[in-house]
Amino acid sequence: MAESKVKKAGAKPESRLAMVRRARRINRELAELYPYAHPELDFRNPFELLVATVLSAQTTDLRVNQTTPALFAAYPTPEDMAAAAPEALEELIRPTGFFRAKSKALLGLSQALRDNFGGEVPGRIQDLVTLPGVGRKTANVVLGNAFGVPGITVDTHFGRLVRRWKWTEQEDPEKVEAEICAIFPKSEWTMLSHRVVFHGRRICHSRKPACGACPIAPLCPSYGEGETDPEKAAKLLKYEKGGQPGQRLSPPPDYPGLPAPAKSSPAGV
């Protein structure tokens, strides 16, 4: 059975250098565990990724992926969406929740893209964050995955895991982002984000982490917060690690699991 080698009774506090070395080793192990890590939102261009990321707030990527095909069929460009009737847009995105606020954001950002950026999604964070409904997290998702600009995406999974691993004690997403950026080379930022989120969704869950089925348990100072029995822990695994469909209807070719169903069904986050 795996056991953390990090936290020992009476041991002196971990040095900054030791933490950085452990963090980079965890990243290397995650890269072996999830060589296929990727954004779990379906998209074909920067505009679709921007819209899907805004819709993903307070819902699952699966729910967004089941909603966006009809949305983009109706409004394929910022110009199309900017001219949408609010009621029609709300109805299309209703399954993602908070549809009135999200509709307002989508109309606002589409109009801003049309009026201020020639109908194109800008490739700079300082421009992206001026769009309605777009903060640093959304901007980093778009930059990292549509433009190849490295960035750390601090969502609920990322924040939970980096605190469990004692890479940071910060709670504020921007402070978390700054501290994690200081640990890793810039070239690793985008893929690190995907790997950590993948691990949080599949193994290191919020309420019941599957510690006994976690390959990086020996490097984890929080080992034991979840189920440590290997057989019981294995039953907690999700998506391809648990033999279940993933979240994308159109996953990348190297994804080893099944694609998500096109119709809505109960799913984890």
Side-chain angles (χ1 to χ4, degrees), residues 1-28:
M1 182 181 296
E3 184 175 351
S4 173
K5 299 176 182 176
V6 179
K7 185 170 60 177
K8 298 289 185 181
K12 63 181 180 180
E14 186 179 37
S15 69
R16 163 80 182 176
L17 178 59
M19 182 276 289
V20 169
R21 286 174 172 166
R22 180 172 57 82
R24 292 183 176 185
R25 185 176 170 193
I26 287 175
N27 183 40
R28 291 194 298 271

PDB file of all heavy atoms in Angstrom, residues 1-28:
ATOM      1  N   MET A   1       0.846  -1.195   0.000  1.00  0.00           N
ATOM      2  CA  MET A   1       0.000   0.000   0.000  1.00  0.00           C
ATOM      3  C   MET A   1       0.880   1.243   0.000  1.00  0.00           C
ATOM      4  O   MET A   1       1.867   1.319   0.725  1.00  0.00           O
ATOM      5  CB  MET A   1      -0.913   0.001   1.240  1.00  0.00           C
ATOM      6  CG  MET A   1      -1.869   1.213   1.293  1.00  0.00           C
ATOM      7  SD  MET A   1      -2.893   1.202   2.768  1.00  0.00           S
ATOM      8  CE  MET A   1      -3.846  -0.277   2.505  1.00  0.00           C
ATOM      9  N   ALA A   2       0.522   2.240  -0.806  1.00  0.00           N
ATOM     10  CA  ALA A   2       1.306   3.464  -0.880  1.00  0.00           C
ATOM     11  C   ALA A   2       1.213   4.229   0.419  1.00  0.00           C
ATOM     12  O   ALA A   2       0.206   4.219   1.111  1.00  0.00           O
ATOM     13  CB  ALA A   2       0.801   4.326  -2.037  1.00  0.00           C
ATOM     14  N   GLU A   3       2.294   4.896   0.755  1.00  0.00           N
ATOM     15  CA  GLU A   3       2.303   5.728   1.947  1.00  0.00           C
ATOM     16  C   GLU A   3       3.166   6.935   1.674  1.00  0.00           C
ATOM     17  O   GLU A   3       4.240   6.836   1.072  1.00  0.00           O
ATOM     18  CB  GLU A   3       2.851   4.962   3.146  1.00  0.00           C
ATOM     19  CG  GLU A   3       2.787   5.767   4.435  1.00  0.00           C
ATOM     20  CD  GLU A   3       3.215   4.940   5.640  1.00  0.00           C
ATOM     21  OE1 GLU A   3       3.392   3.728   5.498  1.00  0.00           O
ATOM     22  OE2 GLU A   3       3.360   5.542   6.710  1.00  0.00           O
ATOM     23  N   SER A   4       2.698   8.107   2.101  1.00  0.00           N
ATOM     24  CA  SER A   4       3.446   9.320   1.846  1.00  0.00           C
ATOM     25  C   SER A   4       4.795   9.280   2.539  1.00  0.00           C
ATOM     26  O   SER A   4       4.920   8.884   3.695  1.00  0.00           O
ATOM     27  CB  SER A   4       2.661  10.540   2.339  1.00  0.00           C
ATOM     28  OG  SER A   4       3.457  11.703   2.242  1.00  0.00           O
ATOM     29  N   LYS A   5       5.813   9.671   1.813  1.00  0.00           N
ATOM     30  CA  LYS A   5       7.155   9.781   2.379  1.00  0.00           C
ATOM     31  C   LYS A   5       7.465  11.221   2.754  1.00  0.00           C
ATOM     32  O   LYS A   5       8.569  11.538   3.163  1.00  0.00           O
ATOM     33  CB  LYS A   5       8.185   9.288   1.351  1.00  0.00           C
ATOM     34  CG  LYS A   5       8.017   7.841   0.938  1.00  0.00           C
ATOM     35  CD  LYS A   5       8.998   7.466  -0.153  1.00  0.00           C
ATOM     36  CE  LYS A   5       8.791   6.025  -0.606  1.00  0.00           C
ATOM     37  NZ  LYS A   5       9.679   5.658  -1.739  1.00  0.00           N
ATOM     38  N   VAL A   6       6.480  12.087   2.611  1.00  0.00           N
ATOM     39  CA  VAL A   6       6.718  13.516   2.805  1.00  0.00           C
ATOM     40  C   VAL A   6       6.515  13.928   4.246  1.00  0.00           C
ATOM     41  O   VAL A   6       7.340  14.622   4.831  1.00  0.00           O
ATOM     42  CB  VAL A   6       5.786  14.335   1.886  1.00  0.00           C
ATOM     43  CG1 VAL A   6       6.016  15.821   2.103  1.00  0.00           C
ATOM     44  CG2 VAL A   6       6.017  13.947   0.438  1.00  0.00           C
ATOM     45  N   LYS A   7       5.407  13.487   4.861  1.00  0.00           N
ATOM     46  CA  LYS A   7       5.040  13.956   6.188  1.00  0.00           C
ATOM     47  C   LYS A   7       5.409  12.912   7.235  1.00  0.00           C
ATOM     48  O   LYS A   7       4.797  11.852   7.309  1.00  0.00           O
ATOM     49  CB  LYS A   7       3.531  14.268   6.218  1.00  0.00           C
ATOM     50  CG  LYS A   7       3.050  14.880   7.508  1.00  0.00           C
ATOM     51  CD  LYS A   7       1.625  15.385   7.383  1.00  0.00           C
ATOM     52  CE  LYS A   7       0.656  14.281   7.020  1.00  0.00           C
ATOM     53  NZ  LYS A   7      -0.733  14.753   6.967  1.00  0.00           N
ATOM     54  N   LYS A   8       6.382  13.184   8.017  1.00  0.00           N
ATOM     55  CA  LYS A   8       6.800  12.272   9.068  1.00  0.00           C
ATOM     56  C   LYS A   8       6.725  12.962  10.417  1.00  0.00           C
ATOM     57  O   LYS A   8       7.074  14.136  10.548  1.00  0.00           O
ATOM     58  CB  LYS A   8       8.248  11.809   8.836  1.00  0.00           C
ATOM     59  CG  LYS A   8       8.449  11.029   7.534  1.00  0.00           C
ATOM     60  CD  LYS A   8       7.805   9.658   7.597  1.00  0.00           C
ATOM     61  CE  LYS A   8       8.135   8.864   6.339  1.00  0.00           C
ATOM     62  NZ  LYS A   8       7.510   7.547   6.342  1.00  0.00           N
ATOM     63  N   ALA A   9       6.277  12.222  11.430  1.00  0.00           N
ATOM     64  CA  ALA A   9       6.175  12.792  12.763  1.00  0.00           C
ATOM     65  C   ALA A   9       7.548  13.269  13.225  1.00  0.00           C
ATOM     66  O   ALA A   9       8.538  12.543  13.150  1.00  0.00           O
ATOM     67  CB  ALA A   9       5.629  11.755  13.737  1.00  0.00           C
ATOM     68  N   GLY A  10       7.610  14.511  13.701  1.00  0.00           N
ATOM     69  CA  GLY A  10       8.857  15.045  14.234  1.00  0.00           C
ATOM     70  C   GLY A  10       9.840  15.515  13.183  1.00  0.00           C
ATOM     71  O   GLY A  10      10.919  16.004  13.508  1.00  0.00           O
ATOM     72  N   ALA A  11       9.497  15.368  11.898  1.00  0.00           N
ATOM     73  CA  ALA A  11      10.412  15.780  10.834  1.00  0.00           C
ATOM     74  C   ALA A  11      10.431  17.298  10.740  1.00  0.00           C
ATOM     75  O   ALA A  11       9.449  17.976  11.014  1.00  0.00           O
ATOM     76  CB  ALA A  11       9.972  15.177   9.512  1.00  0.00           C
ATOM     77  N   LYS A  12      11.587  17.830  10.353  1.00  0.00           N
ATOM     78  CA  LYS A  12      11.675  19.283  10.216  1.00  0.00           C
ATOM     79  C   LYS A  12      10.891  19.720   8.985  1.00  0.00           C
ATOM     80  O   LYS A  12      10.697  18.937   8.043  1.00  0.00           O
ATOM     81  CB  LYS A  12      13.130  19.720  10.112  1.00  0.00           C
ATOM     82  CG  LYS A  12      13.882  19.193   8.905  1.00  0.00           C
ATOM     83  CD  LYS A  12      15.320  19.676   8.937  1.00  0.00           C
ATOM     84  CE  LYS A  12      16.101  19.164   7.716  1.00  0.00           C
ATOM     85  NZ  LYS A  12      17.501  19.632   7.738  1.00  0.00           N
ATOM     86  N   PRO A  13      10.418  20.968   8.968  1.00  0.00           N
ATOM     87  CA  PRO A  13       9.620  21.452   7.836  1.00  0.00           C
ATOM     88  C   PRO A  13      10.377  21.307   6.515  1.00  0.00           C
ATOM     89  O   PRO A  13      11.599  21.423   6.457  1.00  0.00           O
ATOM     90  CB  PRO A  13       9.391  22.924   8.177  1.00  0.00           C
ATOM     91  CG  PRO A  13       9.550  23.008   9.665  1.00  0.00           C
ATOM     92  CD  PRO A  13      10.587  21.989  10.018  1.00  0.00           C
ATOM     93  N   GLU A  14       9.624  21.041   5.461  1.00  0.00           N
ATOM     94  CA  GLU A  14      10.214  20.898   4.143  1.00  0.00           C
ATOM     95  C   GLU A  14      10.770  22.231   3.667  1.00  0.00           C
ATOM     96  O   GLU A  14      10.102  23.265   3.763  1.00  0.00           O
ATOM     97  CB  GLU A  14       9.139  20.396   3.171  1.00  0.00           C
ATOM     98  CG  GLU A  14       9.643  20.069   1.783  1.00  0.00           C
ATOM     99  CD  GLU A  14       8.538  19.548   0.878  1.00  0.00           C
ATOM    100  OE1 GLU A  14       7.394  20.048   1.001  1.00  0.00           O
ATOM    101  OE2 GLU A  14       8.808  18.639   0.079  1.00  0.00           O
ATOM    102  N   SER A  15      11.969  22.238   3.143  1.00  0.00           N
ATOM    103  CA  SER A  15      12.566  23.463   2.632  1.00  0.00           C
ATOM    104  C   SER A  15      11.916  23.853   1.306  1.00  0.00           C
ATOM    105  O   SER A  15      11.279  23.034   0.636  1.00  0.00           O
ATOM    106  CB  SER A  15      14.069  23.290   2.431  1.00  0.00           C
ATOM    107  OG  SER A  15      14.323  22.387   1.361  1.00  0.00           O
ATOM    108  N   ARG A  16      12.100  25.093   0.932  1.00  0.00           N
ATOM    109  CA  ARG A  16      11.587  25.567  -0.356  1.00  0.00           C
ATOM    110  C   ARG A  16      12.180  24.735  -1.499  1.00  0.00           C
ATOM    111  O   ARG A  16      11.463  24.314  -2.409  1.00  0.00           O
ATOM    112  CB  ARG A  16      11.945  27.042  -0.528  1.00  0.00           C
ATOM    113  CG  ARG A  16      11.855  27.589  -1.961  1.00  0.00           C
ATOM    114  CD  ARG A  16      10.462  27.914  -2.343  1.00  0.00           C
ATOM    115  NE  ARG A  16      10.378  28.398  -3.731  1.00  0.00           N
ATOM    116  CZ  ARG A  16       9.246  28.683  -4.332  1.00  0.00           C
ATOM    117  NH1 ARG A  16       8.108  28.543  -3.689  1.00  0.00           N
ATOM    118  NH2 ARG A  16       9.239  29.111  -5.582  1.00  0.00           N
ATOM    119  N   LEU A  17      13.472  24.480  -1.459  1.00  0.00           N
ATOM    120  CA  LEU A  17      14.119  23.707  -2.513  1.00  0.00           C
ATOM    121  C   LEU A  17      13.555  22.299  -2.590  1.00  0.00           C
ATOM    122  O   LEU A  17      13.282  21.784  -3.686  1.00  0.00           O
ATOM    123  CB  LEU A  17      15.628  23.650  -2.279  1.00  0.00           C
ATOM    124  CG  LEU A  17      16.431  22.831  -3.287  1.00  0.00           C
ATOM    125  CD1 LEU A  17      16.247  23.376  -4.694  1.00  0.00           C
ATOM    126  CD2 LEU A  17      17.907  22.807  -2.896  1.00  0.00           C
ATOM    127  N   ALA A  18      13.340  21.675  -1.443  1.00  0.00           N
ATOM    128  CA  ALA A  18      12.793  20.314  -1.428  1.00  0.00           C
ATOM    129  C   ALA A  18      11.372  20.297  -1.984  1.00  0.00           C
ATOM    130  O   ALA A  18      10.992  19.372  -2.710  1.00  0.00           O
ATOM    131  CB  ALA A  18      12.824  19.750  -0.016  1.00  0.00           C
ATOM    132  N   MET A  19      10.608  21.334  -1.627  1.00  0.00           N
ATOM    133  CA  MET A  19       9.233  21.408  -2.149  1.00  0.00           C
ATOM    134  C   MET A  19       9.234  21.546  -3.668  1.00  0.00           C
ATOM    135  O   MET A  19       8.453  20.887  -4.365  1.00  0.00           O
ATOM    136  CB  MET A  19       8.492  22.586  -1.505  1.00  0.00           C
ATOM    137  CG  MET A  19       7.032  22.719  -1.940  1.00  0.00           C
ATOM    138  SD  MET A  19       6.804  23.622  -3.511  1.00  0.00           S
ATOM    139  CE  MET A  19       7.221  25.294  -2.974  1.00  0.00           C
ATOM    140  N   VAL A  20      10.100  22.403  -4.190  1.00  0.00           N
ATOM    141  CA  VAL A  20      10.165  22.606  -5.641  1.00  0.00           C
ATOM    142  C   VAL A  20      10.563  21.309  -6.337  1.00  0.00           C
ATOM    143  O   VAL A  20       9.975  20.937  -7.371  1.00  0.00           O
ATOM    144  CB  VAL A  20      11.145  23.749  -5.981  1.00  0.00           C
ATOM    145  CG1 VAL A  20      11.425  23.795  -7.486  1.00  0.00           C
ATOM    146  CG2 VAL A  20      10.584  25.090  -5.509  1.00  0.00           C
ATOM    147  N   ARG A  21      11.537  20.610  -5.785  1.00  0.00           N
ATOM    148  CA  ARG A  21      11.951  19.338  -6.377  1.00  0.00           C
ATOM    149  C   ARG A  21      10.817  18.324  -6.354  1.00  0.00           C
ATOM    150  O   ARG A  21      10.591  17.591  -7.328  1.00  0.00           O
ATOM    151  CB  ARG A  21      13.170  18.792  -5.632  1.00  0.00           C
ATOM    152  CG  ARG A  21      14.459  19.537  -5.950  1.00  0.00           C
ATOM    153  CD  ARG A  21      15.598  19.042  -5.086  1.00  0.00           C
ATOM    154  NE  ARG A  21      16.880  19.617  -5.497  1.00  0.00           N
ATOM    155  CZ  ARG A  21      17.981  19.563  -4.774  1.00  0.00           C
ATOM    156  NH1 ARG A  21      17.985  18.946  -3.588  1.00  0.00           N
ATOM    157  NH2 ARG A  21      19.104  20.096  -5.217  1.00  0.00           N
ATOM    158  N   ARG A  22      10.098  18.269  -5.241  1.00  0.00           N
ATOM    159  CA  ARG A  22       8.969  17.334  -5.128  1.00  0.00           C
ATOM    160  C   ARG A  22       7.867  17.726  -6.101  1.00  0.00           C
ATOM    161  O   ARG A  22       7.255  16.871  -6.768  1.00  0.00           O
ATOM    162  CB  ARG A  22       8.447  17.327  -3.686  1.00  0.00           C
ATOM    163  CG  ARG A  22       7.263  16.389  -3.463  1.00  0.00           C
ATOM    164  CD  ARG A  22       6.905  16.271  -1.979  1.00  0.00           C
ATOM    165  NE  ARG A  22       6.600  17.553  -1.369  1.00  0.00           N
ATOM    166  CZ  ARG A  22       5.414  18.171  -1.447  1.00  0.00           C
ATOM    167  NH1 ARG A  22       4.413  17.612  -2.117  1.00  0.00           N
ATOM    168  NH2 ARG A  22       5.218  19.328  -0.856  1.00  0.00           N
ATOM    169  N   ALA A  23       7.577  19.023  -6.220  1.00  0.00           N
ATOM    170  CA  ALA A  23       6.540  19.498  -7.138  1.00  0.00           C
ATOM    171  C   ALA A  23       6.882  19.126  -8.581  1.00  0.00           C
ATOM    172  O   ALA A  23       6.022  18.659  -9.340  1.00  0.00           O
ATOM    173  CB  ALA A  23       6.380  21.010  -7.008  1.00  0.00           C
ATOM    174  N   ARG A  24       8.137  19.307  -8.950  1.00  0.00           N
ATOM    175  CA  ARG A  24       8.520  18.992 -10.331  1.00  0.00           C
ATOM    176  C   ARG A  24       8.502  17.488 -10.574  1.00  0.00           C
ATOM    177  O   ARG A  24       8.203  17.049 -11.693  1.00  0.00           O
ATOM    178  CB  ARG A  24       9.906  19.598 -10.616  1.00  0.00           C
ATOM    179  CG  ARG A  24       9.866  21.124 -10.648  1.00  0.00           C
ATOM    180  CD  ARG A  24      11.194  21.741 -11.000  1.00  0.00           C
ATOM    181  NE  ARG A  24      11.066  23.193 -11.107  1.00  0.00           N
ATOM    182  CZ  ARG A  24      12.049  23.998 -11.493  1.00  0.00           C
ATOM    183  NH1 ARG A  24      13.233  23.499 -11.831  1.00  0.00           N
ATOM    184  NH2 ARG A  24      11.859  25.308 -11.564  1.00  0.00           N
ATOM    185  N   ARG A  25       8.787  16.714  -9.542  1.00  0.00           N
ATOM    186  CA  ARG A  25       8.694  15.264  -9.703  1.00  0.00           C
ATOM    187  C   ARG A  25       7.234  14.839  -9.868  1.00  0.00           C
ATOM    188  O   ARG A  25       6.914  13.972 -10.680  1.00  0.00           O
ATOM    189  CB  ARG A  25       9.325  14.547  -8.513  1.00  0.00           C
ATOM    190  CG  ARG A  25       9.339  13.027  -8.713  1.00  0.00           C
ATOM    191  CD  ARG A  25      10.041  12.306  -7.603  1.00  0.00           C
ATOM    192  NE  ARG A  25       9.829  10.857  -7.714  1.00  0.00           N
ATOM    193  CZ  ARG A  25      10.119   9.980  -6.761  1.00  0.00           C
ATOM    194  NH1 ARG A  25      10.659  10.378  -5.630  1.00  0.00           N
ATOM    195  NH2 ARG A  25       9.877   8.692  -6.945  1.00  0.00           N
ATOM    196  N   ILE A  26       6.336  15.458  -9.090  1.00  0.00           N
ATOM    197  CA  ILE A  26       4.909  15.165  -9.240  1.00  0.00           C
ATOM    198  C   ILE A  26       4.466  15.484 -10.666  1.00  0.00           C
ATOM    199  O   ILE A  26       3.730  14.707 -11.297  1.00  0.00           O
ATOM    200  CB  ILE A  26       4.071  15.952  -8.212  1.00  0.00           C
ATOM    201  CG1 ILE A  26       4.249  15.344  -6.806  1.00  0.00           C
ATOM    202  CG2 ILE A  26       2.591  15.955  -8.596  1.00  0.00           C
ATOM    203  CD1 ILE A  26       3.555  16.117  -5.699  1.00  0.00           C
ATOM    204  N   ASN A  27       4.918  16.612 -11.197  1.00  0.00           N
ATOM    205  CA  ASN A  27       4.555  16.964 -12.570  1.00  0.00           C
ATOM    206  C   ASN A  27       5.050  15.916 -13.560  1.00  0.00           C
ATOM    207  O   ASN A  27       4.326  15.541 -14.489  1.00  0.00           O
ATOM    208  CB  ASN A  27       5.133  18.338 -12.920  1.00  0.00           C
ATOM    209  CG  ASN A  27       4.739  18.793 -14.311  1.00  0.00           C
ATOM    210  OD1 ASN A  27       3.608  18.600 -14.751  1.00  0.00           O
ATOM    211  ND2 ASN A  27       5.694  19.383 -15.033  1.00  0.00           N
ATOM    212  N   ARG A  28       6.263  15.413 -13.354  1.00  0.00           N
ATOM    213  CA  ARG A  28       6.784  14.375 -14.253  1.00  0.00           C
ATOM    214  C   ARG A  28       5.965  13.089 -14.143  1.00  0.00           C
ATOM    215  O   ARG A  28       5.675  12.429 -15.147  1.00  0.00           O
ATOM    216  CB  ARG A  28       8.259  14.089 -13.930  1.00  0.00           C
ATOM    217  CG  ARG A  28       9.203  15.234 -14.292  1.00  0.00           C
ATOM    218  CD  ARG A  28      10.653  14.785 -14.274  1.00  0.00           C
ATOM    219  NE  ARG A  28      11.100  14.338 -12.969  1.00  0.00           N
ATOM    220  CZ  ARG A  28      11.625  15.124 -12.034  1.00  0.00           C
ATOM    221  NH1 ARG A  28      11.746  16.444 -12.265  1.00  0.00           N
ATOM    222  NH2 ARG A  28      12.034  14.634 -10.879  1.00  0.00           N
TER     223      ARG A  28
END
